[in-house]
Amino acid sequence: MQVLVLLLWMGALLGHSSCQNTAGSPEEGSPDPDGTGAPVEEEDPFFKVPVNKLAAAVSNFGYDLYRVRSSMSPTTNVLLSPLSVATALSALSLGAEQRTESVIHRALYYDLINNPDIHGTYKDLLATVTAPQKNLKSASRIVLEKKLRIKSSFVAPLEKSYGTRPRILTGNPRVDLQEINGWVQAQTKGKVARSTKEMSGEISILLLGVAYFKGPWLTKFDSRKTSLKDFYLDEERTVRVPMMSDPQAILRYGLDSDLNCKIGQLPLTGSMSIIFFLPVKVTQNLTLIEESLTSEFIQDIDRELKTVQAVLTIPKLKLSYEGEVTKSLQEMKLQSLFDSPDFSKITGKPIKLTQVEHRAGFEWNEDGAGTTPSPGPQSSHPAFPLDYHLNQPFIFVLRDTDTGALLFIGKILDPRGT
Ligand SMILES: *[C@@H]1O[C@H](CO)[C@@H](O)[C@H](O)[C@H]1NC(C)=O
């Protein structure tokens, strides 16, 4: 009897689940108002706001970057804050002549935006996502080879829109590493560790993107309910990790039958949320889900998920990343920036991109703002609450609800990993 009811309940969820990827499937759009006969996708009013439209563009770059990074690390965790890399690239485009500028703008999907003041809008985007209540630290920097004379016509707009000044290297690797470490510490309030890696002597243009996030859930977890539980690395192997749980969690949920995945969303303070993609079957192959990730798809999900009560378990997480994303960018139609780009708006000397570095830290634990879950208007309280156990490989997306910006993305194959 219980089984039957549970099946019916799951069936009802299946029926309601409408988080299919409609982006890029024009047959589902409304008829073209111009009467040319070609069906067009009706744009979500959310994307009519210039800052949201820009956030969608740079986030789509972010999902592309994530896919490339993830395919390079099929058996390890991936942690990425693509926004900090996008910001560095967008800032760099201020120094690019037309041919090179359009290479960068295409990668960032700016060619699909009708906005004469991209950099001014970017300033608004950064101001929104780094507001103190968001608990996100994110910073980007352009570092240039030693003795370079740079044009003030590049520095002024860079400072105006991106709040950053380019840094010229001294040529002494120890001094330069120390200075960069000091900058990272200052930007992240000491939350991202100092690098001990030697600086390359071959730097012409180095882009640096750093980010740190640790924010409270809207509803805190009871730490007395946290205990060591099994996490399935794959169908056969398990590891014991600290798992938080809430037997009466209020979760936004949908079962995506195309992706064969259970999508859950938990709110954080400061108009932020984390969306989880949990395959129905235990697998390390998350390709199908990864391929569907776009700003438009995530926006659809955010709209379509239904509030449910769930028995929730979720591993405590503390991840960090330090490394280059240079190779990833080279695979993203940005190779020409590393060959013979035109950055003559920065300096008279021919310079080119040589490295793109990313440092990131990300953490969640039981901390939350409130204890009493406040069910939303759509809330339903089934006799048999849903089970949502993040005890096998999953993907998470940290998203700013105000602008839709992708702030962090992670592939968790083993919660013990860094
Ligand atoms: C992962 O899954 C995708 C589609 O679901 C498939 O095309 C691909 O071959 C799989 N990759 C591996 C390594 O099994």
Side-chain angles (χ1 to χ4, degrees):
M1 179 61 189
Q2 275 200 9
V3 171
L4 179 66
V5 175
L6 195 63
L7 279 174
L8 286 172
W9 166 237
M10 290 299 288
L13 281 169
L14 239 170
H16 289 146
S17 166
S18 44
C19 27
Q20 279 136 15
N21 189 357
T22 52
S25 47
E27 70 274 8
E28 292 186 22
S30 53
D32 176 12
D34 303 340
T36 55
V40 293
E41 188 102 13
E42 200 175 305
E43 190 174 53
D44 189 318
F46 180 81
F47 295 120
K48 297 224 161 81
V49 180
V51 71
N52 299 355
K53 182 84 180 168
L54 179 66
V58 295
S59 302
N60 276 330
F61 160 82
Y63 294 115
D64 288 346
L65 178 60
Y66 165 76
R67 274 184 281 275
V68 175
R69 277 281 301 125
S70 180
S71 69
M72 288 175 175
S73 318
T75 57
T76 52
N77 293 341
V78 171
L79 176 71
L80 200 63
S81 175
L83 181 72
S84 65
V85 179
T87 303
L89 271 174
S90 188
L92 181 66
S93 77
L94 282 170
E97 282 297 350
Q98 204 178 10
R99 166 178 63 91
T100 300
E101 182 191 48
S102 72
V103 168
I104 300 176
H105 283 191
R106 266 203 305 275
L108 295 173
Y109 292 93
Y110 291 174
D111 55 329
L112 303 179
I113 305 181
N114 192 3
N115 181 343
D117 185 20
I118 292 262
H119 301 289
T121 307
Y122 212 113
K123 182 184 178 152
D124 297 339
L125 174 61
L126 288 176
T128 305
V129 299
T130 59
Q133 71 270 19
K134 305 272 181 196
N135 298 296
L136 174 77
K137 306 254 181 294
S138 180
S140 311
R141 201 183 199 196
I142 299 172
V143 179
L144 299 161
E145 63 184 58
K146 65 176 176 184
K147 292 189 186 146
L148 202 69
R149 289 176 62 89
I150 46 180
K151 298 180 179 173
S152 56
S153 55
F154 169 63
V155 178
L158 184 68
E159 224 172 348
K160 180 165 171 266
S161 293
Y162 296 91
T164 177
R165 291 179 67 86
R167 166 80 195 174
I168 315 278
L169 293 171
T170 67
N172 176 332
R174 210 170 40 83
V175 172
D176 287 331
L177 179 63
Q178 205 169 28
E179 195 279 335
I180 288 176
N181 274 334
W183 179 83
V184 171
Q185 296 274 304
Q187 297 297 319
T188 63
K189 301 273 185 291
K191 294 295 189 183
V192 172
R194 288 170 191 280
S195 174
T196 51
K197 287 193 185 131
E198 223 165 277
M199 296 268 305
S200 158
E202 310 278 284
I203 292 169
S204 177
I205 303 175
L206 161 71
L207 297 183
L208 183 58
V210 300
Y212 176 80
F213 180 80
K214 184 188 177 193
W217 306 105
L218 215 48
T219 304
K220 73 169 140 199
F221 286 83
D222 181 350
S223 53
R224 288 166 304 184
K225 294 199 173 78
T226 299
S227 62
L228 287 178
K229 289 199 172 76
D230 282 340
F231 184 95
Y232 293 83
L233 300 176
D234 54 35
E235 281 169 333
E236 281 134 34
R237 297 172 302 146
T238 61
V239 290
R240 303 278 283 175
V241 300
M243 287 269 199
M244 315 186 293
S245 52
D246 184 347
Q248 290 185 302
I250 302 296
L251 184 74
R252 297 192 70 228
Y253 176 85
L255 178 68
D256 191 310
S257 46
D258 291 341
L259 300 180
N260 205 21
C261 125
K262 297 186 273 186
I263 303 174
Q265 183 184 37
L266 270 187
L268 295 145
T269 64
S271 281
M272 310 265 272
S273 78
I274 294 186
I275 301 174
F276 304 99
F277 294 86
L278 180 70
V280 169
K281 292 202 187 90
V282 176
T283 174
Q284 291 209 345
N285 184 348
L286 305 170
T287 313
L288 196 62
I289 298 166
E290 289 172 340
E291 290 302 325
S292 73
L293 296 177
T294 64
S295 300
E296 295 73 19
F297 179 48
I298 297 287
Q299 176 65 16
D300 284 350
I301 288 173
D302 187 59
R303 213 183 25 233
E304 304 284 352
L305 295 181
K306 301 282 181 274
T307 304
V308 298
Q309 197 176 53
V311 181
L312 174 69
T313 57
I314 161 171
K316 286 176 81 157
L317 211 64
K318 184 171 182 170
L319 301 170
S320 64
Y321 176 78
E322 178 197 338
E324 288 197 24
V325 289
T326 313
K327 280 206 179 65
S328 305
L329 291 188
Q330 287 170 333
E331 285 196 9
M332 294 172 64
K333 301 189 190 118
L334 288 166
Q335 179 63 45
S336 66
L337 302 184
F338 299 84
D339 299 331
S340 53
D342 185 348
F343 287 115
S344 50
K345 283 182 172 173
I346 300 180
T347 180
K349 192 184 165 189
I351 52 172
K352 61 184 181 182
L353 190 56
T354 46
Q355 276 108 342
V356 185
E357 261 189 50
H358 186 46
R359 297 191 206 171
F362 185 94
E363 211 173 324
W364 70 49
N365 59 20
E366 293 89 349
D367 294 349
T371 46
T372 324
S374 49
Q378 312 174 321
S379 169
S380 55
H381 290 279
F384 305 97
L386 193 85
D387 280 323
Y388 199 74
H389 301 307
L390 292 154
N391 61 355
Q392 58 174 80
F394 64 92
I395 291 171
F396 77 84
V397 165
L398 172 68
R399 181 174 184 268
D400 171 42
T401 311
D402 293 331
T403 59
L406 164 68
L407 304 178
F408 260 96
I409 182 165
K411 175 171 77 172
I412 308 304
L413 301 184
D414 182 346
R416 300 169 307 167
T418 58

